Amino acid sequence: MKIFTSSHIRELDSYTIAHEPIRSIDLMERAAKTLTRAISDQWSVQVPVVVFAGPGNNGGDALAVARMLCEQGYDVSTYLFNINGRLSEDCTINRQRILDSRKMKEFHEIIDEFEPPKLESGTLVVDGLFGSGLTKPLAGGFASLIKYINQSPATVVSIDVPSGLMTEDNTYNVRANIIKADVTLTLHQKKLSFLFAENQHYIGKLRILDIRLSQEGIDKINTKYTLQEENDVRALLKHRDDFAHKGSMGKALLIAGSYGMAGAATLAANACMRSGVGKLEICTPRRNGDILQITAPEAVLHIDREEFYFTNPIDATDVDALAIGPGIGQQENTSIAMITQIRRTTCPIVLDADALNILANHHAWLQQLPHGTIMTPHPKEFDLISGGPCADSFERISKASNLAESLQSYIILKGHYSALCMPDGQVIFNSTGNAGMATAGSGDVLTGIILALLARGYKQSEACQLGMYLHGLAGDIAARDLGMESLIARDIIAYLPKAFKRLED
């Protein structure tokens, strides 16, 4: 699914108006009917409604919703803010329709002074002040109104976007001046800013409403951002040949674990084996040998000469994919062995955990990474790699996208909506996963899955997309059976077979 920016949204609206064809005011009426239905489905006519409408098309939507709710018997008080005397064309038409309506009992057009209504518990506020076209932080009277609404006990439903929240970049926004909605009824699709953790408490419960925008227009608009869905991922899945054998299913090499961190190696190894690889070899320090022989008996071990951590690169000429990093530590000898291993390796590489921390301490080594290298940082690890903390998720995504292009690498920023930044500048968000997966070892599992897929013969972009989706899907299935509170990384591995089976079916 494509994720549209505010300019794309305007372009798609215009395309729909021109090619359906439909008048702009009639498209607004169609959207308002869908919004009204969503509101009336959730709140009865006994609930008093206060509608705040801004001067643009978001306000026009709100005015149309207010009129339709009145026609259904709701007690609606409507406030239109026309401070500068400039309403959008469609907002002006809906203002006149409000004035012509015999059902509307209370309508206020605010031109200068405003005495806000009392917002009590049990009142429903419909926020239609500003929508997806907002380009700068709110200030002055609108900021004061938003603070007043946020401090009230009323329930708030926002039309399309909570007022004050911009659809993409909120890096320099004034967060105190953003509506905190209980429900957001967004039109057509999720907005980019809805995918970022720091914006979730403004959005509340999200509902996506289909207002039948032009599919032809959707297909024609090129976007940088997409949200992958199950059908997208299912198309990538390779089917196992009836005559497959372990030699044809790929050979993977995992360099993982230091003394006290054998668990990271165990989790990555078992995730790799559960993801269909033919053969797995693990390079680990001597102290971890017995543990891995017991916990990953299907794998072949290469025992490092060093007792406690990885210090000696190994021959990787006959392996199909390499992953390095889970639990290896950041000893200087380990760091040198890691970059030496990378320089000598010609197969696809996945770097995670301590491999990324090592790169953060040796920034010049980033330029030595082979094209196509996959990195899987969580936000803090990425901030260290990129040279400093990011103000918010949009800045982090932008930096990661630029770095992926610069290095011609693949960067998976892990999170609720993990984001794959591609060498061509595209960003693909993952749609699976849940809060129960916020647990130690979950990232090691992802590394093992991607390693197996690379060894199986998937291209880097395919392994990343499929790996993210399977990882989250296994977590979702596990959470349904076990609950999120008790979910641990081993559960994700245990449910990988069901995740694969769902895609295969």
Side-chain angles (χ1 to χ4, degrees), residues 43-193:
W43 290 279
S44 72
V45 292
Q46 282 74 41
V47 176
V49 180
V50 177
V51 176
F52 294 113
N57 282 348
N58 193 253
D61 289 330
L63 293 177
V65 167
R67 168 171 47 84
M68 292 176 188
L69 288 173
C70 282
E71 290 169 354
Q72 292 184 21
Y74 285 81
D75 179 11
V76 182
S77 302
T78 303
Y79 296 82
L80 170 63
F81 291 85
N82 189 12
I83 308 298
N84 298 317
R86 294 194 302 272
L87 301 178
S88 73
E89 183 179 347
D90 290 343
C91 188
T92 301
I93 294 172
N94 270 309
R95 170 185 173 277
Q96 190 59 48
R97 289 179 177 178
I98 286 269
L99 294 173
D100 293 341
S101 172
R102 295 180 179 179
K103 299 283 187 178
M104 179 64 68
K105 296 178 183 177
E106 190 176 351
F107 174 71
H108 308 272
E109 185 169 356
I110 312 303
I111 297 173
D112 41 42
E113 294 297 320
F114 170 57
E115 184 68 30
K118 190 173 182 180
L119 301 178
E120 299 177 328
S121 177
T123 299
L124 178 65
V125 171
V126 177
D127 159 38
L129 292 169
F130 296 94
S132 61
L134 190 69
T135 58
K136 60 183 180 181
L138 295 180
F142 284 119
S144 298
L145 174 59
I146 283 172
K147 289 174 182 174
Y148 176 73
I149 295 170
N150 285 343
Q151 290 166 5
S152 79
T155 299
V156 181
V157 56
S158 287
I159 292 176
D160 202 26
V161 179
S163 292
L165 184 69
M166 286 173 265
T167 54
E168 295 95 46
D169 185 2
N170 288 275
T171 304
Y172 302 105
N173 207 342
V174 180
R175 296 196 170 263
N177 300 342
I178 301 174
I179 283 283
K180 293 180 181 177
D182 296 286
V183 177
T184 297
L185 302 175
T186 200
L187 303 177
H188 178 62
Q189 61 165 208
K190 292 178 181 177
K191 310 308 188 269
L192 181 63
S193 61

Side-chain angles (χ1 to χ4, degrees), residues 384-450:
L384 291 172
I385 291 172
S386 64
C390 295
D392 64 2
S393 298
F394 182 82
E395 182 183 2
R396 189 173 292 112
I397 284 285
S398 300
K399 280 187 174 182
S401 181
N402 291 337
L403 184 61
E405 281 193 85
S406 172
L407 299 178
Q408 285 296 287
S409 65
Y410 297 82
I411 298 175
I412 298 177
L413 274 178
K414 293 183 288 196
H416 181 70
Y417 291 101
S418 291
L420 169 61
C421 301
M422 307 266 278
D424 62 0
Q426 294 293 302
V427 178
I428 301 173
F429 288 92
N430 186 46
S431 58
T432 57
N434 61 81
M437 298 173 69
T439 183
S442 182
D444 302 322
V445 174
L446 176 62
T447 296
I449 295 170
I450 295 173

Side-chain angles (χ1 to χ4, degrees), residues 106-345:
E106 190 176 351
F107 174 71
H108 308 272
E109 185 169 356
I110 312 303
I111 297 173
D112 41 42
E113 294 297 320
F114 170 57
E115 184 68 30
K118 190 173 182 180
L119 301 178
E120 299 177 328
S121 177
T123 299
L124 178 65
V125 171
V126 177
D127 159 38
L129 292 169
F130 296 94
S132 61
L134 190 69
T135 58
K136 60 183 180 181
L138 295 180
F142 284 119
S144 298
L145 174 59
I146 283 172
K147 289 174 182 174
Y148 176 73
I149 295 170
N150 285 343
Q151 290 166 5
S152 79
T155 299
V156 181
V157 56
S158 287
I159 292 176
D160 202 26
V161 179
S163 292
L165 184 69
M166 286 173 265
T167 54
E168 295 95 46
D169 185 2
N170 288 275
T171 304
Y172 302 105
N173 207 342
V174 180
R175 296 196 170 263
N177 300 342
I178 301 174
I179 283 283
K180 293 180 181 177
D182 296 286
V183 177
T184 297
L185 302 175
T186 200
L187 303 177
H188 178 62
Q189 61 165 208
K190 292 178 181 177
K191 310 308 188 269
L192 181 63
S193 61
F194 292 6
L195 305 180
F196 301 146
E198 62 269 19
N199 298 330
Q200 296 313 300
H201 66 291
Y202 302 114
I203 298 161
K205 182 180 179 182
L206 179 65
R207 287 191 59 190
I208 302 170
L209 304 181
D210 181 10
I211 58 170
R212 305 194 310 278
L213 296 177
S214 169
Q215 185 59 50
E216 184 178 58
I218 292 168
D219 294 339
K220 286 189 174 182
I221 296 173
N222 292 319
T223 63
K224 176 184 176 74
Y225 305 102
T226 56
L227 179 67
Q228 68 174 358
E229 297 174 301
E230 189 161 304
N231 286 337
D232 303 322
V233 178
R234 184 176 284 118
L236 301 175
L237 199 63
K238 294 180 185 290
H239 294 283
R240 186 174 290 249
D241 186 88
D242 289 343
F243 291 90
H245 53 84
K246 66 180 181 181
S248 64
M249 297 307 293
K251 182 178 179 181
L253 172 61
L254 172 66
I255 300 177
S258 56
Y259 182 56
M261 293 295 291
T266 296
L267 290 168
N270 281 288
C272 182
M273 296 301 300
R274 279 292 186 191
S275 299
V277 74
K279 293 186 284 188
L280 172 64
E281 298 183 355
I282 307 171
C283 179
T284 197
R286 186 170 301 280
R287 281 292 183 99
N288 290 342
D290 290 345
I291 297 172
L292 285 167
Q293 290 282 19
I294 295 168
T295 58
E298 297 89 353
V300 174
L301 295 191
H302 291 277
I303 303 298
D304 197 280
R305 291 196 302 269
E306 167 59 42
E307 190 86 358
F308 298 104
Y309 46 86
F310 167 65
T311 58
N312 291 285
I314 68 170
D315 184 8
T317 54
D318 64 339
V319 301
D320 299 300
L322 164 70
I324 183 169
I328 63 172
Q330 300 176 53
Q331 298 281 346
E332 191 58 29
N333 286 351
T334 300
S335 301
I336 294 169
M338 185 197 81
I339 193 62
T340 304
Q341 182 74 61
I342 290 170
R343 289 170 182 155
R344 293 178 181 176
T345 301

Side-chain angles (χ1 to χ4, degrees), residues 322 346-351 369-375 404-411 420-423 450 454 458-461 463-464:
L322 164 70
T346 58
C347 64
I349 298 173
V350 186
L351 301 179
L369 300 181
H371 288 182
T373 296
I374 298 169
M375 292 181 275
E405 281 193 85
S406 172
L407 299 178
Q408 285 296 287
S409 65
Y410 297 82
I411 298 175
L420 169 61
C421 301
M422 307 266 278
I450 295 173
L454 288 172
Y458 288 89
K459 297 176 182 177
Q460 281 95 328
S461 61
C464 289

